[in-house]
Every structure is written in structure tokens, then in C-alpha cells.
Amino acid sequence: MQKPPFRFGRSMFKDAVWSLVPLFLLALCAVWAAYHFIDPAPPHRLVIMTGVEDSSYQDFAKSYKEILAEDGIELVIRQSNGALDNHQSLRDPNSDVDLGFLQDGLNEPSSDTEVEPLSLGSVSYEPLWVFYRAKQAVTKFSELSGKRIAIGREGSGTKLLALRLLEASGVNGENSKLQAVGRDEAAAQLLAGKIDAVFFIGEPDSPIVQQLAADAQVRILNLDQAGAIVRHFPYLHELHVPHGLINIAHNLPAQDITLLATTTTLAVRDSVHPALVSLLMKAMHETHSEAGLLHSANEFPSSKDVDLELSKDAEHYYKSGPPLLQRYLPFWLATLIDRAALVLIPLLAVLVPLVRAIPQIYNWRIRRRIYRWYGELSFLETRLREKPTDSEIPTMIKQLDHIEEKVQQAKLPLTFSEHTYVLKEHIDFVRRRIQKPHTN
């Protein structure tokens, strides 16, 4: 009798494939869930609120924009009226603003419906300049009582800080004329003699500071109560400005002066992707780590002096530097590997126990096939006990031959050889009973 053509493990291959189907489906589900719900890919666009045109905030943002562009991130710069405006935009749940510059200590409490932003740290000092016109030197804020004072435009941190300091010194709208005007207009009115004093925040090398310091009719308030004021307002700093700092050639100011300063804080929404926070920290470090006129090298960026909660990602950056992968790999590749790792963790949690179960699933499929043959054989034995007629015997033999043929052609693992031989013996046993149907 010619043997049937050899089929190289077709049934075994089929059993192996069907044993792997649950593994494949669960792995697919795990990857889909991880891709959609675990650490989505960072966006390629951020929106930052700065301040008025030509402010230091604008300069900082332009520097960030260039650095982020190297990693394919677009930074959209939007002007505002100042720090309070920025804070309000960051707290507004309907705003698309991602980050903005604030002034430390000047952020008003948010309401229950607003989202409080997180801090990435302070990036620079913001000196408070008070220029005034008077014959006698002014060294205290209280000596401005009765004057016409420009305190900064609406929505600016300058106005809020000026009001706090003047109120603490007994100067208010009842005994003085306080005007909420911007720095450019305030400077023009001061030079024209229409106001007596102006509060504004700016760098020593800013055009307005240079212009007012050079005017012979204008003086800079040299604050002799700075030490006491910073005790009452802990978010403020006492700055000592050496003579000549504003302009060495013209020795401006002509003597050492003492100023107050707050710090500029870069704040973000808590929804900003952690990978982008790391890039922002890198941009902050490259922009602000060098020495400036008012600070030493590596003094900024800093996690000190913030009245907002510090971002966990920023805190990790201050302690350990940039993430390991971002130190040596391009941003897109480091982010891809990070996301892949987050996908693999839940995937392994599902696959490890399932892989262990694969041999059991495979063995169950093999046993199920053998048990099915035993079931067919048992059915024939049951019919034998019912005393089949002579006309039914050929049909039963044909059914038995069919079972035997399937067993002979089956390609089963060697571990199941014993089950196969036992099944063949049972087939022979039933065959003998069929051939002698009336024998018990």
C-alpha cells in the first residue's frame, strides 16, 4: 500500500499558529492602548506669552525660539501687557497658551475654575527703577507722597508691585496722583515735567534706562530701606548697582545705588509634555547661564524664589540635568525610544505570563484532536453494544478506517507518541469487535 504524501508538519504548524493567536491579539491590544493612552507623542508647537515690544521677555522668547527650532519645535511668540496678563492666560482653561513669563511674588491666587500653572524656575532679576524729578534727593518711597506717579500699565506686574510698595509706605491714591500708564508714555511725561516719578522694570542696558539716566533733570531713587523692605516682601531682592554700570563712559549712575528686584519666572501649563519641558530647560540654560550685569555666571536658571509649584520634570532637571537619552541622541530619536519603552512595559506584563501559557495551549490543542478521535471511536463502541445488523457492519468498518487514516496521517509531536500508539491499539480492538459483532 502506497503511503500518503508526506506533509511537513501541516497540522503541527496549524496548532502552533492557533496557539500564538491569543498572544498576537493581546499584544496588539496592549500596543494600541499604550500608544493612545500612555505618554502620547509631544506636539511640535508651543505658544508663549511675553510682554510689551522690546522687553527682555521678548528677547528671552526669541532665544528660546531659535534653540527649540533646532529640534523641530515651533515656538509661537505672543505679546501681552505684562506678567499679570500672562498669568491670567495660563490659568484660563480655554486659552491655547502653553507658557509665559511671570514675576515671582506677584501672581494673584487663582479661582476654583482656573488651572494653576507650574514653574520651570526663575531666569533673571527684574530691577525696579524709580526715576523722579526733584531738587532734593529722595531715598524712601514715603517721600513720594503728594507727587504725580506713573505706576505702570494695566495688567502689568510693575503696577501691582508699585502699588504694594507705595501702600506699605503710606502712599496711595488719596494723598497722591497715581497714573496707570506704560513705560514709554511715562518716560516721555517725566522728561516733559508732566509727572514727578515713574516706576518701571527693565535691564540696566535698556534704551529707556539709558535715556532717563542720562537726563540731567532726572534722578534715580537710591533706596535706603531696601534691607527692611525685602524682609516684609520675601520675594524681593536687594540689588547693589555700582556707579558706572548703566554707562561706563558717562559714569552713570554717578554713585553706587540700591534697588529692589523681583525675579522673572517661566511658567507652563501642567499639560505640557515632559519631553518638551526638558527642551525648555535646555533653552533656559543656554539663554540665561552666562553672567549678566546684575548676576553671576550659572546663577540662573534657578529653582529658588518661586511662588508657584515647581514642575516635577524641572525639579529633576535641576538635580540631574537633561534626560540621559537627550544628552547623546537627537530629540526625536530620544523621544521615540522613551515612548517605545513605555509601550514595552505594559506589553511585557501581558506577554510574559501568556508566553508561559503557550505550551499549555499547544498541548491542549493536540490533546483535543486525540480526544476527538477517541470520541468517534467511543461512538462506534456504543453502536457495537447495541448489536448492529450485518448491513451496518460495512459502514462501521468504513468509519473506523477513516479514523485510522486520520491517525496515521497526523503529524504529532514526539511527546504524544505514547497517546498515538495507545489510540491505534484501541482502534485494532474495536476493529476486532466489529469483525465479530456478536462476541462480548
Side-chain angles (χ1 to χ4, degrees):
M1 181 178 179
Q2 188 178 4
K3 294 183 179 180
F6 178 72
R7 299 175 182 176
F8 184 71
R10 176 183 294 179
S11 59
M12 294 173 61
F13 176 76
K14 181 180 178 181
D15 288 324
V17 169
W18 280 105
S19 299
L20 291 173
V21 165
L23 175 67
F24 174 77
L25 292 178
L26 284 175
L28 191 63
C29 292
V31 170
W32 181 87
Y35 183 83
H36 285 83
F37 299 108
I38 300 178
D39 193 31
H44 295 280
R45 180 178 181 271
L46 289 171
V47 178
I48 184 171
M49 292 283 281
T50 56
V52 297
E53 189 176 359
D54 296 329
S55 66
S56 58
Y57 294 171
Q58 285 283 104
D59 296 334
F60 296 160
K62 290 177 182 177
S63 175
Y64 299 167
K65 184 181 180 73
E66 293 179 1
I67 296 171
L68 293 176
E70 296 174 0
D71 291 300
I73 306 300
E74 178 190 7
L75 183 65
V76 179
I77 301 175
R78 291 183 186 171
Q79 295 184 19
S80 69
N81 288 328
L84 296 185
D85 238 7
N86 298 348
H87 195 196
Q88 186 60 41
S89 296
L90 286 172
R91 292 186 301 185
D92 184 359
N94 298 318
S95 170
D96 66 341
V97 175
D98 299 299
L99 60 154
F101 293 106
L102 309 181
Q103 288 174 317
D104 186 40
L106 304 184
N107 304 309
E108 296 180 337
S110 59
S111 65
D112 295 336
T113 60
E114 295 175 322
V115 180
E116 193 67 21
L118 299 174
S119 169
L120 298 186
S122 53
V123 297
S124 68
Y125 288 120
E126 292 198 78
L128 176 67
W129 301 90
V130 181
F131 289 94
Y132 66 95
R133 297 172 64 97
K135 295 180 180 179
Q136 300 291 329
V138 175
T139 60
K140 299 177 179 62
F141 292 133
S142 58
E143 296 173 358
L144 296 176
S145 179
K147 306 291 186 181
R148 299 166 297 176
I149 309 170
I151 56 175
R153 71 169 65 196
E154 295 290 346
S156 67
T158 302
K159 179 185 176 185
L160 180 58
L161 180 59
L163 287 175
R164 289 181 181 180
L165 294 174
L166 289 173
E167 183 178 0
S169 302
V171 180
N172 52 52
E174 296 180 358
N175 56 33
S176 305
K177 187 175 182 180
L178 307 182
Q179 303 179 30
V181 294
R183 60 178 186 173
D184 292 335
E185 181 182 350
Q189 291 187 24
L190 180 67
L191 292 175
K194 296 181 180 180
I195 57 175
D196 303 307
V198 56
F199 283 70
F200 69 84
I201 290 174
E203 296 293 326
D205 55 354
S206 67
I208 289 186
V209 172
Q210 296 276 336
Q211 179 187 17
L212 294 180
D215 193 282
Q217 304 298 318
V218 176
R219 300 186 181 189
I220 303 175
L221 195 153
N222 183 12
L223 191 62
D224 64 4
Q225 291 184 320
I229 291 175
V230 297
R231 298 292 182 91
H232 286 274
F233 301 92
Y235 52 85
L236 294 178
H237 304 269
E238 183 178 0
L239 288 185
H240 298 285
V241 177
H243 62 280
L245 181 70
I246 297 176
N247 190 309
I248 296 178
H250 297 90
N251 192 34
L252 300 175
Q255 61 180 5
D256 294 352
I257 60 174
T258 301
L259 304 178
L260 293 174
T262 181
T263 53
T264 300
T265 298
L266 183 61
V268 299
R269 290 180 183 267
D270 60 1
S271 58
V272 173
H273 196 282
L276 294 182
V277 171
S278 298
L279 277 187
L280 288 168
M281 295 300 299
K282 170 189 170 185
M284 291 166 62
H285 180 77
E286 292 186 17
T287 302
H288 305 289
S289 60
E290 295 183 359
L293 293 177
L294 300 175
H295 63 270
S296 57
N298 296 316
E299 186 174 354
F300 294 106
S302 171
S303 59
K304 65 182 180 180
D305 300 332
V306 292
D307 56 354
L308 299 176
E309 180 182 354
L310 186 65
S311 163
K312 298 298 182 183
D313 300 297
E315 183 179 5
H316 182 270
Y317 192 98
Y318 284 116
K319 292 180 179 179
S320 307
L324 180 63
L325 292 178
Q326 289 190 23
R327 298 178 191 179
Y328 306 105
L329 298 176
F331 173 72
W332 68 268
L333 181 57
T335 303
L336 180 63
I337 294 176
D338 280 339
R339 295 189 70 222
L342 289 175
V343 169
L344 287 176
I345 292 174
L347 188 59
L348 289 175
V350 173
L351 293 186
V352 169
L354 189 58
V355 167
R356 293 179 179 177
I358 286 178
Q360 299 177 7
I361 298 174
Y362 179 75
N363 291 339
W364 172 80
R365 288 189 57 83
I366 300 297
R367 288 194 181 94
R368 189 183 68 166
R369 189 186 311 168
I370 295 175
Y371 295 156
R372 185 173 63 248
W373 294 330
Y374 267 114
E376 295 176 9
L377 198 60
S378 177
F379 176 73
L380 290 177
E381 285 189 287
T382 301
R383 292 186 62 188
L384 283 174
R385 286 195 294 270
E386 296 174 353
K387 306 298 183 179
T389 63
D390 292 341
S391 62
E392 294 176 324
I393 294 300
T395 302
M396 295 179 65
I397 293 176
K398 186 177 181 180
Q399 292 175 342
L400 188 62
D401 290 341
H402 182 67
I403 296 173
E404 186 175 22
E405 182 182 2
K406 289 192 292 185
V407 174
Q408 292 289 353
Q409 293 181 352
K411 301 295 182 180
L412 301 179
L414 292 177
T415 54
F416 289 88
S417 298
E418 180 180 354
H419 297 77
T420 306
Y421 288 128
V422 172
L423 178 58
K424 290 178 180 179
E425 290 178 358
H426 289 170
I427 292 173
D428 290 338
F429 173 75
V430 174
R431 185 181 299 279
R432 289 193 299 270
R433 291 195 60 188
I434 292 176
Q435 290 172 351
K436 299 178 180 180
H438 300 293
T439 303
N440 292 327

